[in-house]
Amino acid sequence: MIELEGVPELVDPVMVAAFEGWNDAGDAASTAVAHLDREWKGEVFAALDAEDYYDFQVNRPTVFMEAGVRKITWPTTRLSVVRVGGEKPRDLVLVRGIEPSMRWRSFCNELLGFAHELGVELVVVLGALLGDTPHTRPVPISGTTSDPDLARRMDLEETKYEGPTGIVGVLQEACTHAGVPAVSLWAAVPHYVSQPPNPKATLALLNRLEDLIDVRIPLGELPEDARAWQVGVDQLAAEDSEVAEYVQSLEEARDTAELPEASGEAIAREFERYLRRHDGGPPAPGGHATADGSDSTSYLRDNPSGRTRPPKPPKPGTDDDESSDD
């Protein structure tokens, strides 16, 4: 039995979760939840027992000094609560941790126990994967659910993915089987520059979350960080003609694929976001999971043996050109 002493009755609560590791390319998802926790001054009310779910040889504890005393921080998953003010106030239950090493079903059941006790109405799990997307274009965000009715009501895709999955996919399915509405939001991170941080992907996830749960999220310095990140990657790509050529091929493929998608609905969504932020300026640009479920390494990264070249782009119509959401 989960007892939540000291947690007030919540208003229209939504649980937002992200986990470091395979589901978190560029640390984009975990950074998004950390941003929410920081901006709204979240109060931690629970932490899962680290020994139940983590292999400490994989996720090692860290030692630090506090007032001259050595202390240890153990890897775990923590839950905090924040209240979002405004005309329609609501509460967010933030879940942030590391993908567990073992006992995933028990891990999900424990989180669902908290969700039930708190009256959570919707679970949103954030993730980021590596994909064939150019850093110069808006970050693609896919919203998926296993619930056909929820997909229609919230303009989401009904997931059809088959293949390897991480804790994001497992938790979403656990929610579905428990009768808790659940959504996954995935950011596609350029595979050739996957090292964290990626503020542009974090910003895109927060913008999509804002649309999904109808709250205004304070962005702080994220828009400026996203612009600085893109300028930095532009400079790195310009130093290598092969990388620059590869990025250009991705841009052409992306622009061709999305030409029919430049719909009035997409434009209206951006305009609505601008109106919500009328006092904050114009809207800002917007080993991990990959679109095909495999692992991938990063590019544009210096190493002792020299810089790794990006792979040649797949030919249209081949199996490698397919993508998935989970």
Side-chain angles (χ1 to χ4, degrees):
M1 181 68 178
I2 297 175
E3 298 181 3
L4 300 176
E5 297 181 1
V7 178
E9 184 175 350
L10 303 184
V11 178
D12 298 330
V14 173
M15 178 176 282
V16 182
F19 304 94
E20 299 173 21
W22 193 72
N23 311 271
D24 193 25
D27 290 355
S30 58
T31 302
V33 175
H35 177 88
L36 298 175
D37 194 66
R38 181 174 59 254
E39 290 293 324
W40 279 318
K41 298 178 174 56
E43 296 183 9
V44 175
F45 65 85
L48 305 191
D49 190 337
E51 295 205 9
D52 287 344
Y53 304 113
Y54 294 100
D55 179 346
F56 299 139
Q57 291 183 327
V58 176
N59 298 291
R60 293 186 177 274
T62 56
V63 178
F64 67 99
M65 300 292 293
E66 184 177 280
V69 179
R70 289 171 62 85
K71 295 187 177 181
I72 294 180
T73 298
W74 297 92
T76 189
T77 294
R78 293 180 172 82
L79 291 83
S80 59
V81 63
V82 299
R83 173 147 295 178
V84 183
E87 295 181 1
K88 296 188 296 182
R90 79 180 317 166
D91 295 314
L92 301 184
V93 179
L94 304 180
V95 180
R96 183 161 59 107
I98 304 170
E99 184 177 66
S101 307
M102 51 202 171
R103 303 182 68 224
W104 284 20
R105 284 175 291 188
S106 297
F107 180 88
C108 292
N109 287 337
E110 190 164 354
L111 290 180
L112 283 170
F114 283 109
H116 175 73
E117 289 295 320
L118 293 167
V120 166
E121 300 177 349
L122 174 70
V123 174
V124 183
V125 195
L126 307 183
L129 50 77
L130 302 180
D132 293 328
T133 181
H135 71 278
T136 52
R137 297 294 186 265
V139 176
I141 302 291
S142 58
T144 66
T145 180
S146 299
D147 185 334
D149 294 332
L150 196 61
R152 285 191 294 271
R153 285 191 288 111
M154 305 189 80
D155 190 25
L156 302 166
E157 299 175 27
E158 188 178 352
T159 181
K160 303 295 183 183
Y161 173 75
E162 295 179 310
T165 190
I167 194 62
V168 170
V170 173
L171 178 57
Q172 181 176 345
E173 288 307 302
C175 290
T176 300
H177 291 305
V180 179
V183 173
S184 294
L185 298 181
W186 286 94
V189 172
H191 67 90
Y192 56 89
V193 57
S194 62
Q195 60 268 40
N198 189 319
K200 186 173 180 179
T202 295
L203 179 63
L205 279 171
L206 291 175
N207 282 336
R208 184 66 179 91
L209 177 66
E210 184 178 70
D211 294 338
L212 185 72
I213 63 177
D214 193 26
V215 299
R216 178 176 175 178
I217 298 173
L219 298 178
E221 298 180 356
L222 261 180
E224 183 179 345
D225 291 342
R227 287 189 288 269
W229 177 88
Q230 181 164 324
V231 169
V233 179
D234 285 342
Q235 293 172 346
L236 286 173
E239 295 174 2
D240 191 308
S241 60
E242 284 193 33
V243 172
E245 181 181 350
Y246 179 63
V247 172
Q248 184 178 2
S249 71
L250 292 178
E251 291 173 338
E252 292 170 354
R254 172 80 178 272
D255 293 345
T256 301
E258 291 195 347
L259 190 59
E261 302 297 328
S263 63
E265 182 180 347
I267 295 171
R269 186 181 297 121
E270 285 300 315
F271 185 62
E272 289 171 1
R273 183 179 297 123
Y274 169 73
L275 291 179
R276 282 199 300 268
R277 301 185 178 284
H278 65 278
D279 60 340
H288 295 94
T290 63
D292 62 3
S294 62
D295 291 318
S296 181
T297 55
S298 63
Y299 298 89
L300 281 185
R301 177 181 294 177
D302 291 326
N303 56 59
S305 59
R307 177 168 292 164
T308 307
R309 304 293 186 188
K312 297 297 182 182
K315 295 180 180 179
T318 63
D319 291 341
D320 290 340
D321 195 44
E322 297 176 356
S323 63
S324 62
D325 301 313
D326 211 8

